[in-house]
C-alpha cells in the first residue's frame, strides 16, 4: 500500500512537471524535454511495477505490427537517414502509445483517478490564468486578444479544449456545477486566443456532449448545425479573425523567384503524392516532416520540388518543415501507417465499449471526444508529439481503462464469492 501511494504521487508529480515544461515556448526549454520526461516516466514505472502491462493481446498485436511496418518501410526506402536518426524518428512516432501502455500499468483507485483529473484541470487553469496576466501586464499584441511569452497560444488553445473535456467528464461523474463554470471559462479563453482549429474543436466536443445528453438526438444535431453556421458567419465578420486570415495568407503566400507556394498545403499535397507512389508505405522514418528533417534535412523535399516553398527550404529564415502532424505520418508511413496510427489512438474507446459491461458514460464521452479532438486539431499542429497532450488522450485513457477493468474483475469475484458462500451455508 505504501509503495502504491508513493508511485501514485510520483506519477502525479511527473505529470505536473511535464505539463508546465512541455507547454513552454520552445526557445525557453532544451530540445527533447518531452521525450526525456517520457523516458523517466517509463523507467519509474518499470522500477515500481517490474513490468509494463498491455491492455489486451489485440492492442499488443496492433502496436507490434505498427512498429514492424515502420521498420520494414525504413529498410526499403532510399530516403531513410542514418540508423540513429531512424530509431529516433521511430521512437517519437510511438511515444503516444508508450504513454498509454505505461499508464495502463498504473492502478489508481476511483477516488485517486478523480483527484488526478482535478490536478490536470488545475494545471491547465494555471496556464490560462498566466496568459491573462501576461497579456494585461505586458500589453502583448497578437492576432488574438490573449497571448503569451511563456506558452505557445496555438498549443495552449488546444490544451484548453482538453480541459473542457475533463471538466464535462467530472460534471457527468459528480454533478457539481463548478465544472460547468470551469468549462465556460475555458470556452471563453479559447475564443479569446482566436485560434481557428481550437474553436472548431470546441464546437465539435460540445456537439458530442449535447448529442450524448440529448433525448431527441436528431433535433439536437439540427440545432447544433444551425448555431455552428451562424457562429462561422459572425466570426468571419469580426476584425480580429479577418486580420489573422490576412496575416497568415501573407506568411504562407510569399512569392518571388526563389520561393512560391503555401507550406502547409504543399506538405499535405506532397504527402498524398508520396502515399500513392509508395503504396501502402511512405518514404520511411525521419524523412518527411519529423525531427531528423530539422537536423540533416531530407532529399524528399528537393525530389518533390517543395524545397522552394517558403519555410520548407534548408536555409529559409522561417521553418515550416514540421508544420503539420498528419502530413508527416502519411508521408513517412503511407496509408497503412496512418490507418494503424488512428486505430491505436481510438483503441481505448473500442476497448471500453467491448470489455466493460457496466459502462460509465462520462468515461465513454472522454474516451471518444479527447482523441477525436486531437485527431482533428492535429491537421494543423503536431499536437500528439507534446507530452502534455499524451498524458491526457493516451495517459488518462490508460488509467481509466485499468481502474474500470480492475473494478469489473473485483465485482465478478465478489459475486462468485457471495454465491459460493451461500451454497456452502445452504
Amino acid at each position: 500500500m505504501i509503495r502504491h501511494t508513493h508511485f501514485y504521487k510520483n506519477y502525479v508529480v511527473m505529470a505536473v512537471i511535464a505539463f508546465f515544461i512541455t507547454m513552454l515556448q520552445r526557445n525557453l526549454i532544451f530540445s527533447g524535454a518531452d521525450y526525456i520526461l517520457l523516458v523517466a516516466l517509463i523507467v519509474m514505472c518499470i522500477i515500481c511495477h517490474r513490468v509494463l502491462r498491455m491492455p489486451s493481446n489485440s492492442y499488443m498485436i496492433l502496436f507490434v505490427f505498427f512498429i514492424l511496418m515502420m521498420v520494414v518501410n525504413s529498410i526499403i526506402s532510399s530516403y531513410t537517414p542514418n540508423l540513429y536518426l531512424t530509431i529516433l524518428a521511430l521512437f517519437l512516432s510511438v511515444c503516444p502509445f508508450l504513454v498509454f501502455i505505461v499508464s495502463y500499468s498504473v492502478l489508481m483507485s476511483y477516488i485517486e483517478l478523480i483527484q488526478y483529473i482535478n490536478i490536470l484541470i488545475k494545471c491547465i487553469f494555471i496556464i490560462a490564468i498566466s496568459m491573462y496576466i501576461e497579456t494585461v501586464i505586458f500589453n502583448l499584441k497578437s492576432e488574438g486578444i490573449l497571448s503569451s511569452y511563456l506558452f505557445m497560444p496555438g498549443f495552449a488553445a488546444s490544451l484548453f479544449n482538453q480541459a473542457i473535456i475533463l471538466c464535462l467528464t467530472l460534471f457527468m461523474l459528480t454533478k457539481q456545477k463548478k465544472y460547468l463554470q470551469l468549462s465556460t471559462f475555458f470556452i471563453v479563453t479559447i475564443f479569446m486566443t482566436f485560434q481557428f482549429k481550437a474553436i472548431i474543436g470546441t464546437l465539435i466536443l460540445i456537439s458530442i456532449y449535447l448529442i450524448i445528453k440529448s433525448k431527441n438526438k436528431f433535433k439536437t444535431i439540427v440545432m447544433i448545425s444551425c448555431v455552428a453556421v451562424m457562429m462561422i458567419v459572425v466570426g468571419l465578420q469580426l476584425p480580429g479573425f479577418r486580420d489573422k486570415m490576412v496575416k497568415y495568407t501573407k506568411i504562407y503566400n510569399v512569392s518571388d523567384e526563389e520561393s512560391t507556394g503555401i507550406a502547409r498545403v504543399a506538405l499535405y499535397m506532397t504527402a498524398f503524392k508520396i502515399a500513392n507512389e509508395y503504396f501502402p508505405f511512405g518514404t520511411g522514418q525521419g524523412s518527411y516532416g519529423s525531427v531528423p528533417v530539422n537536423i540533416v534535412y531530407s532529399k524528399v523535399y528537393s525530389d518533390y520540388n517543395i524545397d522552394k516553398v517558403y519555410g520548407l527550404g534548408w536555409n529559409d529564415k522561417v521553418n515550416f518543415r514540421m508544420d503539420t502532424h498528419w502530413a508527416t505520418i502519411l508521408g513517412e508511413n503511407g496509408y497503412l501507417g496512418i490507418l494503424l496510427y488512428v486505430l491505436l489512438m481510438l483503441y481505448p474507446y473500442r476497448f471500453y465499449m467491448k470489455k466493460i459491461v457496466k459502462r460509465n458514460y462520462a468515461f465513454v464521452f472522454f474516451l471518444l471526444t479527447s482523441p477525436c479532438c486531437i485527431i482533428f486539431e492535429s491537421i494543423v499542429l503536431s499536437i500528439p508529439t507534446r507530452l502534455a497532450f499524451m498524458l491526457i488522450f493516451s495517459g488518462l485513457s490508460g488509467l481509466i481503462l485499468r481502474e474500470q477493468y480492475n473494478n469489473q474483475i473485483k465485482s465478478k469475484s465478489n459475486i462468485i464469492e457471495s454465491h459460493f458462500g451461500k451454497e456452502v451455508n445452504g
Side-chain angles (χ1 to χ4, degrees):
M1 182 65 184
I2 294 174
R3 184 180 180 182
H4 165 77
T5 304
H6 283 314
F7 184 66
Y8 166 73
K9 289 181 179 179
N10 291 339
Y11 185 92
V12 171
V13 169
M14 287 287 293
V16 171
I17 292 172
F19 254 86
F20 289 110
I21 290 181
T22 62
M23 287 304 295
L24 288 172
Q25 297 275 9
R26 281 314 191 195
N27 60 346
L28 297 178
I29 57 174
F30 57 90
S31 179
D34 300 57
Y35 310 111
I36 292 172
L37 287 168
L38 173 57
V39 170
L41 187 66
I42 294 172
V43 170
M44 183 182 70
C45 183
I46 293 174
I47 290 173
C48 293
H49 289 272
R50 304 285 192 272
V51 66
L52 294 178
R53 297 174 61 94
M54 287 283 183
S56 68
N57 290 333
S58 59
Y59 184 85
M60 182 176 68
I61 292 170
L62 197 62
F63 180 67
V64 171
F65 185 67
F66 180 57
I67 292 175
L68 289 176
M69 183 278 302
M70 287 190 291
V71 171
V72 171
N73 187 22
S74 297
I75 291 173
I76 63 177
S77 174
S78 59
Y79 291 107
T80 305
N82 61 54
L83 182 60
Y84 164 74
L85 291 176
T86 302
I87 293 173
L88 174 64
L90 192 151
F91 170 73
L92 300 185
S93 296
V94 300
C95 277
F97 315 120
L98 287 175
V99 171
F100 176 68
I101 294 168
V102 167
S103 301
Y104 188 81
S105 303
V106 179
L107 178 58
M108 290 186 183
S109 67
Y110 180 80
I111 294 174
E112 288 173 336
L113 191 59
I114 300 301
Q115 289 173 344
Y116 177 63
I117 296 174
N118 268 302
I119 290 170
L120 295 180
I121 293 172
K122 288 175 182 176
C123 289
I124 304 172
F125 181 78
I126 291 171
I127 291 173
I129 293 298
S130 171
M131 290 181 67
Y132 278 103
I133 294 172
E134 282 188 84
T135 301
V136 172
I137 292 178
F138 300 109
N139 192 25
L140 299 181
K141 302 294 183 181
S142 69
E143 62 269 13
I145 298 172
L146 278 183
S147 191
S148 174
Y149 286 131
L150 293 176
F151 304 104
M152 299 183 68
F155 285 98
S158 294
L159 191 64
F160 299 152
N161 266 336
Q162 294 299 306
I164 296 169
I165 295 169
L166 295 175
C167 289
L168 292 177
T169 300
L170 286 188
F171 174 71
M172 295 170 74
L173 290 171
T174 66
K175 306 303 179 186
Q176 294 182 29
K177 291 184 179 179
K178 67 177 183 180
Y179 293 114
L180 281 182
Q181 295 166 354
L182 277 169
S183 298
T184 304
F185 166 78
F186 285 118
I187 290 170
V188 172
T189 304
I190 288 171
F191 275 84
M192 290 179 72
T193 63
F194 284 10
Q195 297 292 327
F196 292 145
K197 54 101 175 68
I199 291 172
I200 297 173
T202 302
L203 297 176
I204 291 172
L205 73 89
I206 291 175
S207 300
I208 294 174
Y209 174 77
L210 292 175
I211 291 168
I212 288 176
K213 298 291 287 183
S214 173
K215 293 181 181 179
N216 190 335
K217 300 190 185 304
F218 177 76
K219 184 178 178 181
T220 303
I221 292 171
V222 172
M223 181 189 70
I224 290 169
S225 301
C226 293
V227 171
V229 171
M230 288 175 59
M231 289 182 68
I232 292 170
V233 172
V234 172
L236 291 175
Q237 305 308 312
L238 296 175
F241 284 102
R242 287 205 308 270
D243 292 345
K244 182 172 180 177
M245 290 179 69
V246 171
K247 175 185 174 183
Y248 277 91
T249 300
K250 288 180 179 177
I251 287 177
Y252 288 110
N253 267 322
V254 174
S255 298
D256 53 41
E257 294 180 358
E258 296 293 327
S259 171
T260 58
I262 303 173
R264 194 167 284 160
V265 175
L267 286 170
Y268 272 107
M269 290 182 67
T270 305
F272 279 105
K273 194 180 295 184
I274 290 169
N276 289 330
E277 289 183 12
Y278 289 87
F279 183 85
F281 299 122
T283 54
Q285 295 307 115
S287 63
Y288 190 75
S290 53
V291 172
V293 174
N294 273 351
I295 300 174
V296 296
Y297 202 53
S298 172
K299 200 168 179 292
V300 173
Y301 290 78
S302 56
D303 283 359
Y304 283 86
N305 202 30
I306 58 173
D307 57 326
K308 296 292 189 296
V309 175
Y310 183 68
L312 299 184
W314 180 246
N315 296 316
D316 288 351
K317 293 179 181 179
V318 180
N319 181 1
F320 295 142
R321 291 189 294 274
M322 295 172 58
D323 207 31
T324 63
H325 180 71
W326 294 119
T328 299
I329 300 298
L330 180 61
E332 290 189 346
N333 302 296
Y335 291 115
L336 178 60
I338 201 169
L339 174 64
L340 292 171
Y341 197 100
V342 172
L343 287 175
L344 284 166
M345 284 188 72
L346 295 176
Y347 183 88
Y349 170 76
R350 178 180 175 275
F351 178 89
Y352 191 82
M353 297 301 289
K354 185 178 180 181
K355 297 290 185 179
I356 305 300
V357 177
K358 293 183 178 180
R359 303 184 191 101
N360 189 318
Y361 278 89
F363 291 140
V364 172
F365 168 74
F366 172 81
L367 293 170
L368 175 63
T369 311
S370 180
C372 282
C373 271
I374 295 290
I375 288 170
F376 171 76
E377 293 181 50
S378 297
I379 293 172
V380 178
L381 294 174
S382 296
I383 294 174
T385 62
R386 292 290 180 103
L387 185 53
F389 290 94
M390 294 183 212
L391 287 168
I392 299 177
F393 80 87
S394 282
L396 186 55
S397 295
L399 294 172
I400 289 172
L401 292 186
R402 180 71 191 282
E403 188 278 329
Q404 291 281 284
Y405 194 58
N406 188 69
N407 188 51
Q408 180 171 280
I409 292 172
K410 274 188 176 180
S411 298
K412 286 182 179 180
S413 298
N414 291 337
I415 292 171
I416 293 170
E417 287 178 7
S418 176
H419 181 71
F420 181 74
K422 286 179 181 179
E423 286 186 346
V424 171
N425 291 331

